[in-house]
Amino acid sequence: MIPFLDLKAINAEYRNELVAAATRVIDSGWYVQGQEVSAFEQEFADYCGTQHCVGVANGLDALTLTLRAWKEQGRLKEGDEVIVPANTYIASILAITENRLTPILVEPDESSYNLCARGTEAAITPRTRAILPVHLYGQLADMPALMDIAQRHKLLVLEDAAQAHGASLDGRKAGNWGNAAGFSFYPGKNLGALGDAGAITTNDDELATILRALGNYGSHKKYENRYQGVNSRLDEIQAAMLRVKLRHLENEIAARREVAHAYINGIDNDALILPLTPGASPLTNTRHVWHLFIIRCQQREALQQYLSEQGVQTLIHYPIPPHQQQAYTQWAPKSFRLTEHFHNQVLSLPMGPHLNSWQRKKVVDVCNSL
């Protein structure tokens, strides 16, 4: 079976470096908020081109705490509206509702699956205070257009960059477009830890200071608590793992692009809809990092079963859109036609730096043999 993602194989390549990093932390005797976290935060900020990186426990916390920090600054208040793509993973929505803000779901762009700029502007009301674009599957949303909208309407922008480590547009990386950005380092991400981890990037000094306090029990100074905070800190040992993985990220992105190139140039089946390549998009200076390679098919379940029978593992990202989840029954009467259409058709092919040329060819051949 060709695995969808072989984390064991990916991490085995860096085993000696990872073991050395873990040993360094163990021998240090310092396991929370130490030198590894500080070093990773600086290295990842430099990589993204931002002034600050604040490590947190996971990607959901990265989004939730940023919105919470804006409330502490008085830039948001309960009930304010936040525009978000309707076809995102539910974490984007959870961060909004956890802060007692109101998600406004907007249909995606049909070609990129990312937040539609035209739909975003049409959804703005007097209560709109923020836009939360999601760089879905590893390609940046149309950030020049979205930032223009935000500036004209005086809106905050929080990038959900959980799938877009290293992606760029016009030479500017994910995490360095909006007022802030949330990253996930879940093991399956392009930059994955060996457990849960996340981070926030920003160029706002005050915001970074508040975020550090909020994630550390609301404490800006030991035993003094300015906010009613939470415990959401990047583990020292995960920071050490991420420092190793960050050094190899660009090579892994290059390998992912080779896989995507093989699929796009090799798969020739009218029953399958392939992703639109950046070069064929109006956003020609986009550098896609291919966290996921999504195809669409009207007979998705039959396709997935056939691929499995032929030795190709696939996954569905995601089978149920947020507005149809039991957690948000208040949206049940609503219909988002394009989002529902995508969620009923999308299928993720194997994608990752672990795929060799034979495996790529087999995936292509199986897709063409339907």
Side-chain angles (χ1 to χ4, degrees), residues 21-294:
T23 301
R24 187 171 66 242
V25 174
I26 293 167
D27 291 347
S28 74
W30 194 297
Y31 308 122
V32 178
Q33 292 189 308
Q35 293 182 356
E36 297 293 339
V37 169
S38 297
F40 172 72
E41 288 178 336
Q42 185 61 60
E43 290 162 7
F44 192 64
D46 291 344
Y47 178 78
C48 294
T50 59
Q51 292 296 311
H52 303 282
C53 169
V54 180
V56 294
N58 53 67
L60 175 56
D61 282 1
L63 299 175
T64 303
L65 287 174
T66 302
L67 294 171
R68 167 73 189 283
W70 282 336
K71 289 176 71 178
E72 294 291 349
Q73 287 182 308
R75 305 177 78 180
L76 292 177
K77 65 180 185 303
E78 289 188 12
D80 283 346
E81 294 177 350
V82 180
I83 292 174
V84 64
N87 64 319
T88 186
Y89 180 57
I90 199 169
S92 311
I93 312 294
L94 291 171
I96 298 170
T97 57
E98 175 66 19
N99 280 286
R100 299 183 182 276
L101 302 167
T102 304
I104 301 299
L105 306 185
V106 170
E107 291 271 46
D109 174 80
E110 192 164 3
S111 61
S112 71
Y113 307 123
N114 279 324
L115 183 62
C116 174
R118 185 168 55 247
T120 294
E121 187 144 32
I124 293 172
T125 76
R127 296 177 60 193
T128 306
R129 294 292 179 271
I131 304 172
L132 202 161
V134 182
H135 305 316
L136 206 59
Y137 310 145
Q139 181 173 214
L140 262 70
D142 188 351
M143 293 309 295
L146 291 172
M147 292 305 298
D148 176 67
I149 292 168
Q151 288 163 10
R152 284 190 284 106
H153 294 274
K154 297 180 173 55
L155 305 177
L156 295 164
V157 176
L158 171 57
E159 299 173 66
D160 183 339
Q163 300 184 3
H165 318 75
S168 65
L169 175 57
D170 295 333
R172 190 171 172 182
K173 282 193 171 72
N176 192 24
W177 282 89
N179 301 87
F183 285 88
S184 168
F185 303 122
Y186 183 77
K189 303 299 186 184
N190 289 25
L191 178 59
L194 272 66
D196 268 325
I200 302 153
T201 56
T202 183
N203 292 308
D204 185 328
D205 297 343
E206 181 186 25
L207 179 65
T209 299
I210 295 173
L211 286 166
R212 291 191 186 282
L214 284 175
N216 188 34
Y217 300 96
S219 176
H220 63 289
K221 183 178 180 182
K222 193 169 185 178
Y223 301 129
E224 294 184 19
N225 301 76
R226 182 169 292 162
Y227 312 103
Q228 296 178 27
V230 298
N231 178 5
S232 181
R233 301 179 296 207
L234 175 61
D235 284 344
E236 187 77 354
I237 202 159
Q238 294 301 343
M241 301 296 102
L242 287 166
R243 293 185 69 197
V244 171
K245 301 291 285 294
L246 181 58
R247 293 196 291 269
H248 300 283
L249 179 57
E250 285 299 312
N251 287 336
E252 290 201 0
I253 290 172
R256 286 174 177 272
R257 287 175 177 150
E258 288 183 10
V259 175
H261 181 81
Y263 288 169
I264 289 168
N265 288 280
I267 297 174
D268 186 13
N269 187 326
D270 291 340
L272 307 180
I273 300 174
L274 301 182
L276 185 68
T277 61
S281 162
L283 303 179
T284 55
N285 293 322
T286 296
R287 296 289 286 166
H288 200 318
V289 294
W290 299 104
H291 172 61
L292 297 173
F293 190 95
I294 302 292

